Amino acid sequence: MKFEKLRNIGIAAHIDAGKTTTSERILYYTGKSYKMGEVHEGTATMDWMEEEQKRGITITAAATTCSWKDYQINLIDTPGHVDFTMEVERSLRVLDGAVCVFCGVGGVEAQSETVWRQADRYKVPRICFVNKMDRVGADYYKVVDEINERLGFTAVPIQVPIGNESNFRGLIDIVRMKARIYSDEEDKTGMNFSDEEIPAEYQKKAEEEREKLIEALANHTDWLTEKFLDGKEITTEEIKKAIREGTINLKFVPVLCGSSFKKKGVQLLLDAVCDYLPSPVDKEAIVGIDPKTNKEISRKPFVEEPFCALAFKIASDKHGDLTFIRVYSGKLTSGTRVLNSGKDKKELVSRIYKMHAANREQTNEVIAGEICAVIGLKDTVTGDTLCDLDNPIILEKMEFPDTVISMAIEPKSDKEKEKLGMVLTKLAKEDPTFRMHLDKETGQMIISGMGELHLEVIKNRMLSEYNVDANVGAPKVSYRETIRKKVEVEGKFVQQTGGHGQYGHVWITVEPFKEGDEPVTFVDAIVGGKIPRQYVRSVEKGIRDTAVTGVAGGPPLIDIKVTLIDGSTHPVDSSDLAFYTAACIAFRKGVEMANSILLEPIMSIEITVPEQYMGDVIGEVHSRRANILEMITKGNIRIIKGEVPLAEMFGYSTTLRSITQGRGTFTMEPLEYRPAPAKSVGNVT
């Protein structure tokens, strides 16, 4: 296989835009599946987990490999629900390109924006597929406008739909200026189509859109500009070349359309993946840090380079943990020892697998650019770098958001206690946004996650997959704490024993500060060496540790700036421990003096309901302290956007279903922390 013929892509979008259905069609048309699975029937290949099949949603990113024409496509189908956005994050981190799916009716929705920001963060080239063009209210050009306006990206249509809603019967490829007509509505395979001349009634529209396409390409592609200005004819191959360059360089995004459920347009989407998305060699060399020198080094995507890979996902398996890796350079052979460079530990790769959702195919070797799963790694977790023993490199780690919701869990019997601990550890290794800790005051095991659905899925997996018999408490919100004013405070730790004592003495200022990237911003303002550098590090560690654990058993601290301004040392008794303890004392005292205030997580919410239910829905959500910011009309559908405290939203999905007779949907995503009214604070974690 040539590197130029390899595509590592992900399918990403808002929930219910049709990602998994699109993936199922891709598997069928590439010959990977002999039968198309359906999400609503629970038969989708990529939704292989029991929880996914029961709920009809994607929970975990599933990987597979397939072939289209003479290209190899490594495909990852990602979840659309905000509770599982971590799966999208770690998938985009290792992919070369993405297909962003939009609902032809819903357009750019809340999670669409989140996915887009994630792709921007990792500089992932993408193409857009406007799905569900057969649905009532579908509007292709409105979705294109929304991509331009709401996502801030130049969207360049390369197709024109033929017909709309129930009359959607094909599309025009304005690059080749050919129409693809699907003539048989009863066709269950989507293979009954013909490529024809453009229908007369669409000729003018196709020519107009082609002119717009060429103009957009000329604006972003230097070599095409001169030819365009001279009025010379631009060939189909030149247009394709310009689209590919602009897509890979993130200048614009080509937009296609179709209906995955009705099996229209997916083959042309596959053509676009091969024509316009990058191969591994089109991407820049991966950059990392040499652990020995701390200097930047890079690895090019060639077999001749030293081996380098990133572990991006762990999946529990009865035969041993499966570690999913993206190989960036060199090659990996089964039975090889590799270095986990971040932990400086050697690992043995005993077996290598090419994955197809829950199924696997063993292989002896993988090379640069490929995605696979390996067995045998003991200490590797998500985000770790694996590399050649003699050529260490540490790649950039992945950052995951803080949890926003918690609940207590306890075994129903002592016999289940050890089993529960093992299962929770296994689940936490799989999912970096699932965390657990032991509450020192109550002795309860507390589990935390990204939302109500996230924890519910974890709970159900424990019961069904691992047969753990446990009691689960009501969900609790993860509050935070901050301060309202600036104070200056002293911290002193002096302890005299028989031998050397302990002496640490600091003066710090503590003030509100929302501009930093970290929960607590630390500033060293010591002059004249009053506190040696080694003790300053201990002071910073003491402050950061206190921020995590909170004051007097309270929630973690955020949006605070601590400045170390003065202090003193003892020639014999000063130590790292003494200054660490003095800093903890000073910080706790400062928070108490600075009028601390409790903060609650605020969520951005988007509710989609039929028009006749809008009044009842707005009234109900207002009772949950929601702030309605915007209401959008799309046909007879109303989209309500606003902000709401997470603490008020438990059980809302059931309430919304009841009010709207099952026709209303909503999505939430974390927005920020704000002061919590005293009467609203219940279960604080």
Side-chain angles (χ1 to χ4, degrees), residues 69 83 104 109 208 214 271 287 384 416 550 572 576:
K69 299 181 177 175
D83 282 18
E109 299 172 274
E208 287 174 359
I214 293 173
D271 288 342
V287 176
D384 283 355
E416 295 284 307
V572 176
D576 288 326

Side-chain angles (χ1 to χ4, degrees), residues 234-249:
I234 297 170
T235 67
T236 297
E237 288 309 310
E238 286 173 330
I239 293 175
K240 289 173 78 170
K241 180 183 175 185
I243 294 173
R244 179 175 175 76
E245 280 186 21
T247 303
I248 291 173
N249 294 327

Side-chain angles (χ1 to χ4, degrees), residues 82-292:
V82 66
D83 282 18
F84 310 106
T85 192
M86 173 273 302
E87 292 283 342
V88 186
E89 183 87 17
R90 59 184 177 186
S91 298
L92 289 173
R93 171 70 173 81
V94 298
L95 291 169
D96 298 324
V99 176
C100 291
V101 181
F102 296 89
C103 172
V105 181
V108 176
E109 299 172 274
Q111 188 66 4
S112 308
E113 296 182 29
T114 302
V115 167
W116 201 268
R117 287 195 301 269
Q118 290 170 314
D120 281 342
R121 186 180 308 133
Y122 297 118
K123 296 182 174 58
V124 178
R126 64 216 82 149
I127 59 180
C128 295
F129 180 63
V130 181
N131 191 25
K132 302 190 178 184
M133 288 301 299
D134 59 307
R135 293 273 292 271
V136 175
D139 189 333
Y140 177 61
Y141 296 104
K142 187 170 181 294
V143 178
V144 171
D145 290 341
E146 286 185 5
I147 295 170
N148 279 292
E149 293 163 14
R150 291 181 58 181
L151 301 179
F153 221 82
T154 303
V156 181
I158 62 172
Q159 292 178 349
V160 171
I162 298 176
N164 202 25
E165 299 181 348
S166 60
N167 295 319
F168 177 65
R169 56 192 173 89
L171 42 91
I172 299 166
D173 179 350
I174 58 175
V175 177
R176 297 184 302 124
M177 289 301 279
K178 286 285 184 182
R180 176 158 292 187
I181 308 293
Y182 294 84
S183 54
D184 185 1
E185 280 298 318
E186 300 302 315
D187 178 21
K188 297 195 183 320
T189 65
M191 303 293 283
N192 192 358
F193 60 80
S194 57
D195 288 339
E196 307 172 3
E197 294 303 315
I198 298 170
E201 66 269 29
Y202 283 93
Q203 186 69 40
K204 185 179 178 183
K205 179 67 175 175
E207 288 172 359
E208 287 174 359
E209 290 298 323
R210 196 171 200 264
E211 280 299 313
K212 288 181 188 176
L213 169 62
I214 293 173
E215 189 176 335
L217 297 178
N219 287 336
H220 293 93
T221 314
D222 294 340
W223 60 267
L224 196 69
T225 307
E226 189 176 339
K227 199 167 184 180
F228 174 73
L229 293 175
D230 290 344
K232 293 180 181 177
E233 185 183 349
I234 297 170
T235 67
T236 297
E237 288 309 310
E238 286 173 330
I239 293 175
K240 289 173 78 170
K241 180 183 175 185
I243 294 173
R244 179 175 175 76
E245 280 186 21
T247 303
I248 291 173
N249 294 327
L250 302 174
K251 297 290 182 62
F252 52 76
V253 55
V255 187
L256 300 86
C257 62
S259 169
S260 296
F261 183 66
K262 296 285 187 174
K263 310 165 189 76
K264 295 174 181 175
V266 179
Q267 294 98 326
L268 288 176
L269 174 63
L270 278 165
D271 288 342
V273 166
C274 300
D275 289 340
Y276 307 130
L277 288 180
S279 69
V281 293
D282 293 315
K283 303 282 283 183
E284 295 176 356
I286 191 80
V287 176
I289 299 293
D290 185 331
K292 296 176 182 174

Side-chain angles (χ1 to χ4, degrees), residues 1 6 32 63-66 72-74 322 324-325 327 332 351-367 369-374:
M1 179 200 65
L6 176 62
K32 193 69 181 181
T64 190
T65 301
C66 54
Q72 177 182 317
I73 299 173
N74 293 328
L322 273 173
F324 287 74
I325 65 171
V327 182
L332 178 65
R351 275 169 286 169
I352 303 173
Y353 294 103
K354 297 282 185 73
M355 298 302 295
H356 178 48
N359 301 316
R360 62 185 75 172
E361 175 190 335
Q362 190 166 348
T363 183
N364 289 323
E365 183 181 88
V366 285
I367 60 173
E370 293 198 279
I371 291 172
C372 66
V374 301

Side-chain angles (χ1 to χ4, degrees), residues 618-635:
I618 288 177
E620 204 283 332
V621 82
H622 267 310
S623 72
R624 296 174 183 262
R625 293 195 286 130
N627 177 26
I628 304 299
L629 301 176
E630 186 181 8
M631 283 186 279
I632 300 171
T633 300
K634 291 188 177 180

